Amino acid sequence: MKALEMIKIGFLSLALIFSHQAWSAAFFDESFGNFQEELELAKDEEKMGVFIFFEMDDCPFCHRMKETILKEEDVIEYFHQHFKVYRFDIEGGSPVTDFDGTEFNTGKEMAERKYRVRATPVMMMFDLEGKPMARYTGPTHTKEEFMLFGRYVVEGHHATMPFNRFKRTQE
């Protein structure tokens, strides 16, 4: 009887681990490195634009955000309602195509030359023409701050004021 209980507990633990990993991946859409195509998908799905989470493997701040804030169901739901959502490895070695069709030999080249991303995380939102609407450098401290950054763009405040000013008006 004890062996059967131990096996059940083992299977339950594995199920939780795999569902936990699947949940964390739910925030990001799959990308093949062609942001012209990603932009067309955003248009086809009537999104407001594209959200990109610039990251790198060794970034503890990126890891913390992916393991906490970006796993929250309401965060996933809100961002997917308004944006196509992609992660971008700034150390990536594969070729990528930017929103305007510019081809880069590597993701690293595009991150550095085009968007000047050298430290992570950097979160950027692009409109349906591929133009940047907002940029946030560094991790957000709370889920509420991350959601506020989303609202900042969705509600159009990015057109009239910097994010820090908008954040102060919301406190």
Side-chain angles (χ1 to χ4, degrees):
M1 193 71 164
K2 281 245 189 229
L4 186 58
E5 288 176 22
M6 293 299 283
I7 291 171
K8 284 181 184 178
I9 290 171
F11 279 123
L12 211 76
S13 297
L14 284 174
L16 287 173
I17 288 169
F18 287 120
S19 67
H20 180 71
Q21 288 173 341
W23 188 253
S24 70
F27 183 76
F28 298 105
D29 294 311
E30 189 173 352
S31 173
F32 295 104
N34 185 330
F35 287 97
Q36 270 190 317
E37 289 178 8
E38 314 304 10
L39 201 56
E40 289 306 314
L41 281 173
K43 290 175 187 176
D44 291 347
E45 295 178 20
E46 298 180 356
K47 305 288 184 184
M48 181 174 201
V50 173
F51 173 89
I52 298 181
F53 185 82
F54 290 93
E55 65 172 346
M56 62 182 168
D57 287 339
D58 295 333
C59 171
F61 304 110
C62 302
H63 181 73
R64 180 186 61 81
M65 284 191 70
K66 290 189 295 186
E67 290 300 311
T68 57
I69 296 166
L70 303 184
K71 284 185 174 180
E72 296 287 332
E73 187 175 355
D74 56 336
V75 170
I76 294 167
E77 200 172 288
Y78 184 81
F79 274 78
H80 279 259
Q81 177 184 355
H82 299 288
F83 303 98
K84 290 299 287 179
V85 179
Y86 301 104
R87 70 175 66 175
F88 188 95
D89 179 3
I90 70 162
E91 296 177 327
S94 299
V96 291
T97 303
D98 195 22
F99 296 111
D100 64 4
T102 304
E103 295 181 4
F104 293 90
N105 292 325
T106 65
K108 181 176 183 173
E109 182 184 11
M110 186 176 102
E112 286 181 358
R113 285 187 33 210
K114 181 82 180 237
Y115 297 108
R116 306 211 185 290
V117 176
R118 292 178 181 86
T120 56
V122 170
M123 295 162 275
M124 292 183 72
M125 294 182 206
F126 298 85
D127 66 17
L128 294 175
E129 300 301 314
K131 307 283 186 247
M133 292 187 284
R135 177 183 180 125
Y136 190 103
T137 301
T140 59
H141 295 94
T142 63
K143 171 180 130 177
E144 292 74 24
E145 185 178 28
F146 185 74
M147 292 292 281
L148 193 63
F149 183 58
R151 282 188 37 231
Y152 168 69
V153 172
V154 169
E155 295 172 6
H157 303 285
H158 67 284
T160 60
M161 68 180 84
F163 178 63
N164 284 336
R165 185 180 318 150
F166 173 69
K167 192 164 71 168
R168 282 192 299 273
T169 67
Q170 302 301 303
E171 293 173 352

